[in-house]
Amino acid sequence: MENGYRLPNLDVPEAPKVGKYGMLRRSYLKSHRNGYYTGMLLSGRLDAHLEKIDRQATEMVERLTARMAREQGVTEELKASDQMKWVGLMNSIQAAAEEVALAELIYTDV
């Protein structure tokens, strides 16, 4: 009761912790798999799915980046001796790793 009125005691649900990849997945589902997106949203499974995909994609990009850098010989010594070359190689590796994660986790059918 407040000033003679009954006000509902509503709790706002906690916002999901979704990063870049989770938002990309949400956008993909909403645009290309709308029925599945709506079903997950109505059943309350969407946020958990987006958090899981975001976590998996982030881990995959980190693993692939580290492995590809090791395979291509991109080391801390290269970073110290030729920073511009190191930055170029790391940007290329990061883009390639992200492309793999997007193809395998984000833009796939469910």
Side-chain angles (χ1 to χ4, degrees), residues 79-98:
K79 183 179 180 181
S81 64
D82 191 356
Q83 290 180 355
M84 292 304 290
K85 181 177 181 181
W86 182 85
V87 168
L89 289 171
M90 285 305 291
N91 284 342
S92 172
I93 289 169
Q94 179 77 22
E98 194 166 273

Side-chain angles (χ1 to χ4, degrees), residues 25-69:
R25 179 67 175 169
R26 175 187 289 138
S27 175
Y28 172 76
L29 290 175
K30 197 171 188 179
S31 298
H32 300 284
R33 302 286 178 251
N34 195 28
Y36 188 74
Y37 171 82
T38 304
M40 288 181 73
L41 182 63
L42 293 174
S43 68
R45 296 178 300 147
L46 181 64
D47 291 340
H49 173 73
L50 296 177
E51 288 175 1
K52 176 183 165 190
I53 292 293
D54 186 67
R55 187 182 70 257
Q56 288 176 343
T58 301
E59 290 170 359
M60 179 184 270
V61 169
E62 289 172 359
R63 275 194 323 269
L64 287 173
T65 300
R67 190 182 83 208
M68 292 167 82

Side-chain angles (χ1 to χ4, degrees), residues 1 6 61 70 90:
M1 290 290 281
R6 291 180 181 239
V61 169
R70 189 173 50 251
M90 285 305 291

